[in-house]
């Protein structure tokens, strides 16, 4: 059975007008073409929808029964078309992003505010997670794309470089590592950090994994490991130890009693990737968000300038 929306429209028009000439004009068709469309609908349904005479056009019992369905079909089709049109013009839609907490807290919020200002009808879903859960959300189709420190190039996923990140020592302002030596600050070495109690991020975090790779085989005086950067900040402020943090997280440590110093270690470098599915195109809303984020990537030089 092949019934078109034009046939549904013709049926509704004739049921309302009870006149072929007026109904044909309403549908912008010639009367012969309109009559052929009604006959085609009746043939497809294998029932007579209208009783016709030289003076009257009336719905049959079957036609009256079909009227309710025809109106519902037309309303649902109009709603579907309207929804697609709203999505295409960014009046409605949904974007789901999974990304590292350091990006979610520092870099992303003002971009989301800008996006919302232009597209207030688009729903936003943000998952601030470690790299592996971020990748899993994309793989499961629960996130449009992810920003993670894992290059997840697989048959199902593609990864493109997004931004890079370097690392900084953080300590109290009265700590020996905060002071310049001989009027200037010489580069910090691994063995310099090993002299002091050290506060680690959790082992499953990309921050910890990159750092441990750079520190090997030097043992550290680890006093604790914590999950959150805000906790690292509080422990360092309390004088419990020093730590090493990515430049993208420097905003957490903008405290008058804390000092950060860059670590110029070639082996200590974190690359962030944008990961998305290979087999799925982005929705109009997700594509608009993708374009915005790609045009406004984090600039760690600005983060370091603000810290000074």
């Amino acid at each position: 059975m092949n019934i078109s929306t034009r046939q549904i429209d013709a049926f509704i028009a004739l049921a309302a007008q009870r006149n072929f000439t007026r109904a044909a004009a309403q549908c912008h068709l010639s009367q012969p073409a309109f009559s052929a469309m009604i006959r085609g609908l009746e043939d497809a349904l294998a029932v007579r929808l209208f009783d016709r005479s030289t003076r009257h056009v009336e719905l049959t019992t079957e036609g009256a029964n079909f009227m309710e369905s025809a109106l519902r079909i037309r309303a649902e089709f109009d709603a579907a078309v309207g929804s697609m049109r709203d999505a295409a013009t960014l009046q409605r839609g949904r974007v789901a992003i999974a990304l590292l907490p350091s990006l979610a807290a520092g870099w992303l919020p003002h971009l989301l505010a800008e996006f919302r200002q232009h597209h207030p009808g688009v729903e936003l879903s943000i998952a601030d997670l470690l790299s592996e859960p971020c990748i899993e959300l994309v793989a499961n189709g629960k996130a449009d794309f992810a920003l993670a420190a894992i290059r997840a190039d697989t048959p199902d996923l593609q990864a493109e470089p997004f931004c890079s990140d370097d690392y900084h020592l953080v300590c109290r302002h009265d700590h020996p590592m905060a002071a310049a030596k001989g009027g200037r600050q010489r580069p910090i070495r691994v063995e310099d950090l090993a002299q002091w109690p050290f506060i680690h991020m959790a082992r499953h975090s990309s921050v910890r994994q990159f750092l441990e790779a750079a520190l090997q085989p030097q043992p550290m005086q680890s006093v604790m490991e914590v999950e959150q950067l805000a906790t690292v900040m509080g422990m360092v402020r309390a004088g419990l130890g020093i730590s090493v943090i990515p430049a993208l997280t420097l905003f957490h440590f903008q405290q008058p009693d804390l000092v950060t110093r860059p670590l110029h270690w070639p082996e200590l470098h974190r690359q962030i990737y944008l990961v998305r599915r290979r087999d799925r195109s982005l929705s109009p809303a997700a594509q608009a968000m993708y374009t915005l984020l790609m045009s406004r990537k984090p600039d760690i030089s600005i983060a370091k300038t603000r810290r000074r």
Side-chain angles (χ1 to χ4, degrees):
M1 184 180 297
N2 186 12
I3 298 175
S4 69
T5 55
R6 294 193 69 193
Q7 287 175 308
I8 296 294
D9 288 342
F11 169 77
I12 293 172
L14 185 56
Q17 297 292 341
R18 299 293 203 272
N19 181 279
F20 272 85
T21 301
R22 292 195 299 269
Q26 179 179 323
C27 294
H28 307 289
L29 292 170
S30 66
Q31 185 168 329
F34 182 85
S35 297
M37 189 171 292
I38 294 296
R39 285 196 301 272
L41 177 61
E42 291 178 323
D43 290 344
L45 295 173
V47 295
R48 189 175 183 86
L49 299 173
F50 294 96
D51 285 326
R52 307 160 175 84
S53 69
T54 55
R55 295 185 178 182
H56 299 287
V57 176
E58 297 292 339
L59 284 167
T60 64
T61 301
E62 291 78 10
N65 292 336
F66 183 65
M67 185 64 175
E68 181 179 349
S69 297
L71 292 171
R72 184 179 67 253
I73 291 168
R74 199 64 179 90
E76 290 176 354
F77 181 80
D78 288 344
V81 170
S83 179
M84 292 301 100
R85 185 178 294 114
D86 287 346
T89 58
L90 300 183
Q91 300 302 307
R92 295 175 60 186
R94 183 176 185 273
V95 183
I97 308 171
L99 73 170
L100 296 171
S102 55
L103 289 167
W107 163 77
L108 184 65
H110 74 279
L111 293 182
L112 292 185
E114 179 180 331
F115 187 89
R116 287 279 294 173
Q117 183 177 3
H118 291 95
H119 312 297
V122 174
E123 178 187 351
L124 301 176
S125 174
I126 307 300
D128 51 339
L129 302 166
L130 299 181
S131 290
E132 290 187 3
C134 285
I135 300 300
E136 185 176 347
L137 287 180
V138 176
N140 293 338
K142 296 179 180 179
D144 295 299
F145 51 83
L147 297 173
I150 296 176
R151 184 166 190 161
D153 272 318
T154 70
D156 297 325
L157 302 175
Q158 64 181 32
E160 56 184 305
F162 184 72
C163 68
S164 60
D165 202 4
D166 57 21
Y167 283 72
H168 290 239
L169 163 74
V170 59
C171 61
R172 280 175 56 101
H173 69 95
D174 54 358
H175 193 280
M177 291 296 295
K181 302 294 185 180
R184 64 184 182 87
Q185 290 183 324
R186 64 171 175 80
I188 299 172
R189 301 166 301 178
V190 173
E191 52 266 33
D192 295 329
L193 302 186
Q195 303 176 45
W196 309 102
F198 197 88
I199 298 167
H200 267 301
M201 292 291 293
R203 292 181 182 276
H204 55 264
S205 71
S206 63
V207 173
R208 174 72 173 272
Q209 292 165 8
F210 279 96
L211 180 59
E212 284 198 333
L215 292 173
Q216 291 297 333
Q218 176 68 58
M220 302 296 290
Q221 297 185 40
S222 300
V223 294
M224 68 180 69
E225 62 178 52
V226 299
E227 293 278 349
Q228 305 297 330
L229 284 160
T231 308
V232 173
M233 182 270 293
M235 299 301 176
V236 174
R237 289 188 72 186
L240 292 170
I242 63 173
S243 192
V244 170
I245 48 103
L248 288 173
T249 71
L250 284 172
F251 66 93
H252 279 296
F253 299 88
Q254 294 175 352
Q255 305 292 334
D257 51 352
L258 295 182
V259 170
T260 62
R261 293 180 58 187
L263 300 177
H264 301 292
W265 302 351
E267 66 275 16
L268 188 55
H269 176 80
R270 186 172 69 153
Q271 179 69 49
I272 308 297
Y273 297 92
L274 187 143
V275 181
R276 53 187 288 193
R277 290 184 62 94
R278 294 184 184 276
D279 60 351
R280 185 174 301 173
S281 60
L282 296 176
S283 69
Q287 182 64 50
M289 179 66 77
Y290 170 88
T291 301
L292 175 63
L293 300 190
M294 291 298 288
S295 69
R296 306 274 286 281
K297 297 178 182 180
D299 187 343
I300 61 172
S301 65
I302 294 177
K304 290 184 280 189
T305 300
R306 287 175 177 167
R307 181 64 194 103
R308 296 191 195 105

